[in-house]
């Protein structure tokens, strides 16, 4: 028998959550193994395309000097599409293009690799190409390590932090999740499309390292979800996010839904002529607070997508920042528990306290109505036409008929779209309570 | 008994990126190590040494070789792009005295498969190349029985005595996985490096001559006529002639002709 | 590309060309298996339309042909399938499977 390998902490998954957790533990001087099933960190990870790294100010000050970013997002648009119309709300800020920055486009195989490298530099032992296959427990049921798919692959630790992403089989095995419901998940599919940098600059009206983030409502061929376009240096990320049960219940395949989006008259001129460099897909935990698991067990914590921390306010997706933050707080709580010599669920309670006191759960609580609202049938299928038709009639010149008043147009278009005034009022109130 | 495995550190990505995420060794090189490890168990008192030509970044693949059970690992410090001659000359310096050398049949980046050929010549060893099977049981009795792929789905059985150079296809064996503890332990091992060649990348790749495609009328005569038509021989341009000779004389005649043409 | 209605707009690339842009380091063990005897009784067939890698192909005899090789390891299929035991889902051996580069 080989000697038993024991460390202070095992972090499973070298995504943003895992690397943040491992960094904190290593800095506290604990021995920590960071397990990753991919051949390098980031090789299994895809997303839409924008990171909001503010939380890194605490972990890696001046991160912007070295982080592998593509472009700084200085322009953010939300588009509402019908088959023939588009309404866009466009915001620009030059502040976002200078330190300390706001958001940036980046490729995950670059970003996650960089972040894991920082954890290694701080002393974490990164072990790639190794899948955690299950939990090791002692007689009392307490988690004492993980099994892996390597020969003699058992690893023992005083605390295990599961940062193994949306499918987290470890959190499920630990019994931290209730029944798994497909309705809580969306599928994201995306094409990375190459275009020369100057063509991108021109089409999106940006210069240098400035970039654009466009979220799209109504461009998903009738499947509840949303679309996105992000500018990288010399590629575009173009994709859709689709509510799983709705996707399964109709006839169009994901790549066809992207193709339809790309063919929309408002989108086609932006993406035309590009060469597809990569096609990718990943699932998103979409339901926020309502699907979150129990955060701690004896000897174990869950962070990032594994704990459904992704903030999916419908078409606005923030997950990497929530993963990094929850990973960081899990690392701090684990360090605290190791110091006190008590890594039971009670000893690890500092984790939930931190989540509750910071933006992680505060934002989730504030926006807890958002996913259901934005993905609701009314917002998805009725409002885009109502909004676009209203705007079209406002801008249309119907001489010699006199211009109708906005209130009248809105009322007529509301009726035409089949929206009841009571529902509109309720959704508006929900929207104000959520986003206001 | 000493078995040496030669590895080439290459980009495994179709864009030829060589940053650490995309570099490694080919499936054929990995298979070469697995064959060496399996043979080690068949011979008694046998060492397996892995030698890799490449820059410092290649140390990681050598650590992975130690983690799966290689006895020792050495890096010949060299730039990434070198021609087959330079590579085999550098390797041969470190291989004298090896009873058996196992290589991958060709590296993904250059793909000529010339290194093992040159190596066998430099070492004065027997060669068996492009193998699809190695009969491990034959190691106990020697000579080593190996199988080579020929055109048209045929197989050639070869009996190889030592010293020898083998090159294997990636399909002969899948490299075993490193046990977790060995993998962790290998992280801190320093890899011995010896100086090696530093060439500039080859300016242009040389490809064998390939005649242009052309259209021929539908066949009329027998098979021999057709072959002549396709190969352009037997015409009156004076470049080709047809001779009938017994095999040894035919071989002699071909060699003479090649010499005359300046090969 | 089976199962798609006619008259829809097709992607400009064939699906094979599209998925060929993605890198896969394929392992000989199938990490996902599908019990097509169970699928024979399935009327929803949600996996067929939803799998982003288009790996579930209905066969003429009413079963499902599944190839594991070009899989994103996303989880869509097991989340949507509601027939117990139809899909056995694991991750590929460490270091194998999909390898993203620019996403
Ligand atoms: C289409 C799409 C668009 C998105 N857009 C955005 C966006 O624009 N901005 C944003 O901030 N967020 C976005 N997100 C969300 C974001 O990607 C996630 O919230 C974030 O990646 C979560 O990080 P994580 O570290 O928790 O998990 P992951 O990034 O999933 O990392 C988990 C890691 O664990 C590894 N792993 C899993 N299981 C095991 C195991 N058993 N053993 C070993 N290793 C294992 C995986 O290989 C992976 O590296 C998007 C997501 C999708 C799918
Ligand atoms: S895998 Fe599940 S959803 Fe797909 S056909 Fe089989 S039973 Fe139906
Ligand atoms: S995991 Fe995703 S890509 Fe793989 S078979 Fe299932 S649905 Fe398809």
């Amino acid at each position: 028998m080989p000697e038993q390998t024991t460390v202070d902490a095992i972090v499973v998954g070298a995504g943003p959550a895992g690397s943040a957790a491992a960094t904190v533990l290593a800095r506290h001087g604990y021995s920590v193994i960071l397990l990753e099933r991919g051949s390098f960190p980031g090789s299994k990870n895809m997303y839409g395309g924008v990171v909001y790294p503010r939380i890194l100010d605490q972990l890696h000050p001046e991160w912007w000097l070295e982080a592998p970013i593509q472009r700084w997002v200085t322009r953010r648009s939300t588009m509402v599409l019908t088959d023939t119309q588009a309404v866009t709300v466009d915001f620009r800020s030059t502040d976002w293009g200078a330190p300390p920055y706001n958001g940036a486009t980046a490729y995950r195989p670059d970003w996650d690799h960089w972040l894991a490298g920082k954890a290694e530099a701080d002393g974490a032992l990164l072990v790639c190409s190794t899948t955690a296959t299950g939990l090791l427990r002692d007689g009392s049921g307490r988690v004492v390590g993980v099994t892996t798919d390597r020969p003699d692959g058992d690893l023992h630790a005083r605390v295990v932090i599961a940062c193994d992403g949306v499918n987290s089989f470890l959190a499920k095995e630990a019994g931290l999740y209730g029944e798994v419901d497909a309705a809580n998940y969306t599928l994201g599919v995306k094409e990375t499309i190459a275009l020369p940098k100057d063509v991108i600059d021109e089409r999106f009206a940006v210069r240098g390292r400035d970039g654009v983030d466009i979220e799209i409502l109504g461009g998903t061929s009738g499947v509840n979800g949303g679309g996105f376009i992000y500018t990288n240096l010399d590629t575009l990320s173009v994709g859709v996010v689709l509510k799983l049960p709705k996707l399964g219940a109709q006839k169009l395949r994901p790549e066809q839904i992207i193709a339809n989006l790309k063919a929309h008259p408002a989108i086609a001129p932006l993406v035309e002529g590009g060469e597809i460099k990569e096609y990718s897909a990943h699932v998103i935990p979409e339901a926020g607070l309502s699907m979150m698991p129990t955060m701690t067990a004896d000897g174990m914590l869950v962070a990032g997508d594994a704990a459904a921390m992704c903030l999916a306010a419908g078409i606005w997706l923030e997950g990497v920042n929530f993963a990094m933050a929850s990973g960081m707080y899990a690392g701090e709580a684990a360090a605290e528990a190791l110091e006190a010599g008590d890594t039971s669920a009670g000893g690890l309670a500092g984790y939930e306290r931190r989540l509750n006191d910071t933006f992680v759960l505060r934002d989730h609580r504030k926006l807890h109505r958002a996913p259901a609202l934005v993905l609701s049938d009314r917002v998805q299928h009725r409002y885009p036409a109502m909004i676009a038709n209203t705007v079209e009639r406002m801008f249309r010149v119907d001489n010699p008929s006199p211009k109708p008043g906005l209130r009248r147009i809105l009322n007529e278009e509301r009726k035409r779209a089949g929206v009841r005034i009571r529902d509109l009022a309720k959704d508006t109130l929900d929207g104000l309570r959520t986003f206001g | 008994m000493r078995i040496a495995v030669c590895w080439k550190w290459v980009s495994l990505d179709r864009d030829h990126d060589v940053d650490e995420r995309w570099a490694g060794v080919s499936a054929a090189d990995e298979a070469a190590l697995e064959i060496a490890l399996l043979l080690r168990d068949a011979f008694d008192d046998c060492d397996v040494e892995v030698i890799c030509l490449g820059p410092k970044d290649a140390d990681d693949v050598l650590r992975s070789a130690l983690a799966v059970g290689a006895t020792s690992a050495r890096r010949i410090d060299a730039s990434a792009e070198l021609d087959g001659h330079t590579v085999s000359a550098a390797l041969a310096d470190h291989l004298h005295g090896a009873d058996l050398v196992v290589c991958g049949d060709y590296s993904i980046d250059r793909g000529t498969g010339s290194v093992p050929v040159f190596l066998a010549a430099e070492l004065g060893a027997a060669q068996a190349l492009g193998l699809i099977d190695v009969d491990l049981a034959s190691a106990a009795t020697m000579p080593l029985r190996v199988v080579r792929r020929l055109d048209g789905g045929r197989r050639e059985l070869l009996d190889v005595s030592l010293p020898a150079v083998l090159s294997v296809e990636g399909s002969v064996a899948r490299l075993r996985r490193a046990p977790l503890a060995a993998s962790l332990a290998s992280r801190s091992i320093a890899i011995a490096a010896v100086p090696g060649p530093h060439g500039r990348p080859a300016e242009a790749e040389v490809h064998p001559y390939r005649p242009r495609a052309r259209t021929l009328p539908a066949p009329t005569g027998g098979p021999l006529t057709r072959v002549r038509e396709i190969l352009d021989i037997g015409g009156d341009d004076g470049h080709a002639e047809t001779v009938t000779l017994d095999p040894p004389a035919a071989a002699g005649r071909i060699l003479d002709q090649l010499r005359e043409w300046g090969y | 590309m089976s199962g798609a209605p006619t008259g829809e707009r097709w992607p400009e690339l064939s699906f094979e060309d599209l998925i060929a842009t993605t890198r896969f380091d394929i392992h000989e063990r199938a990490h996902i298996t599908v019990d097509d005897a169970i699928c024979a009784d399935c009327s929803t067939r949600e996996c067929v339309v939803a799998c982003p890698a288009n790996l579930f192909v209905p066969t003429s005899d009413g079963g499902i042909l599944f190839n594991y090789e070009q899989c994103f390891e996303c989880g869509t299929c097991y989340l949507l399938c509601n027939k117990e035991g139809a899909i056995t889902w694991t991750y590929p051996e460490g270091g194998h499977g999909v390898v993203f580069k620019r996403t």
Side-chain angles (χ1 to χ4, degrees), chain B residues 78-96:
Chain B
S79 46
E81 281 280 311
L82 296 166
D83 62 83
H85 253 305
T86 319
V87 170
S88 42
L91 285 171
D93 284 347
H94 298 276
L95 292 174
H96 288 291

Side-chain angles (χ1 to χ4, degrees), chain A residues 167 187 281 283, chain C residues 19 24 31-32 34 47 50-56 66-68 70-78 87 89-90:
Chain A
N167 286 308
L187 168 67
V283 163
Chain C
I19 196 121
F24 295 93
H31 62 286
I32 298 174
V34 175
C47 57
C51 167
N54 201 6
L55 293 174
F56 294 79
F66 178 79
N67 295 306
Y68 72 96
Q70 293 182 311
C71 165
F72 292 119
E73 301 148 35
C74 68
T76 299
C77 52
Y78 85 80
I87 299 180
W89 205 100
T90 62

Side-chain angles (χ1 to χ4, degrees), chain B residues 48-239:
Chain B
V48 171
E49 177 179 29
V50 179
I51 301 186
C52 179
L53 223 76
K56 175 98 183 121
D57 286 346
D59 282 356
D60 273 350
V61 297
L62 286 169
R63 288 195 190 96
S64 73
L66 293 172
V68 292
T71 321
S72 61
R74 190 165 10 159
R75 182 169 59 84
I76 303 180
D77 190 53
S79 46
E81 281 280 311
L82 296 166
D83 62 83
H85 253 305
T86 319
V87 170
S88 42
L91 285 171
D93 284 347
H94 298 276
L95 292 174
H96 288 291
D99 302 283
L100 184 62
V101 178
V102 194
C103 309
D105 72 339
Y106 57 84
S107 58
I108 345 184
D109 54 341
R110 297 187 65 84
T112 59
S114 59
V115 168
V117 184
F118 289 133
L119 262 186
E122 301 251 8
L123 297 172
Q127 62 178 34
L129 308 179
L131 304 182
I132 52 170
D133 196 14
V134 174
D135 178 1
L136 297 170
S138 68
T141 52
M142 291 306 277
L144 204 56
R145 160 86 33 122
V146 298
V147 184
R148 198 161 88 94
R149 190 197 302 280
L150 297 181
D151 287 347
R154 279 168 299 176
R155 301 279 183 269
E156 182 178 39
L157 291 183
L158 297 171
D159 284 335
V160 188
S161 28
L162 306 184
V165 176
L166 310 182
S167 78
V168 298
E169 287 191 3
S171 59
V172 294
R174 175 178 277 278
L175 183 57
R176 63 194 67 184
R177 296 204 82 200
L180 192 58
S183 180
L184 293 174
S186 73
R187 296 306 195 81
S188 47
I189 299 177
I191 300 292
V194 293
H198 282 265
R200 285 169 45 75
E203 294 284 294
E205 276 190 48
V206 182
H207 294 290
Y209 170 70
R210 287 184 60 194
R212 290 182 62 82
R214 63 204 163 91
T215 319
L216 289 177
T220 46
L224 194 58
T225 324
R226 189 64 178 168
V227 171
R228 285 200 178 111
E229 279 171 12
I230 291 171
L231 298 180
D232 249 350
I233 51 177
D236 45 15
D237 57 0
H239 282 303

Side-chain angles (χ1 to χ4, degrees), chain A residues 40 109-110 113 125-127 129 149-151 153 155, chain B residues 14 19-22 177-181 183-184 187:
Chain A
F40 62 83
D110 294 346
H113 176 247
L125 190 55
L126 171 66
V127 182
S129 299
D149 65 349
R150 290 207 178 256
L155 263 180
Chain B
R14 60 172 94 113
D19 82 52
E20 60 170 349
R21 294 174 291 174
W22 301 103
R177 296 204 82 200
L180 192 58
S183 180
L184 293 174
R187 296 306 195 81

Side-chain angles (χ1 to χ4, degrees), chain A residues 13 16-17 36-37 45 47-50 108 132 164 284 304-305 317 319-320 323:
Chain A
E36 169 56 47
R37 66 186 188 87
N45 305 342
Y47 76 146
V50 182
R108 293 293 297 283
D164 49 342
I284 307 165
D305 273 12
L317 268 169
V320 174

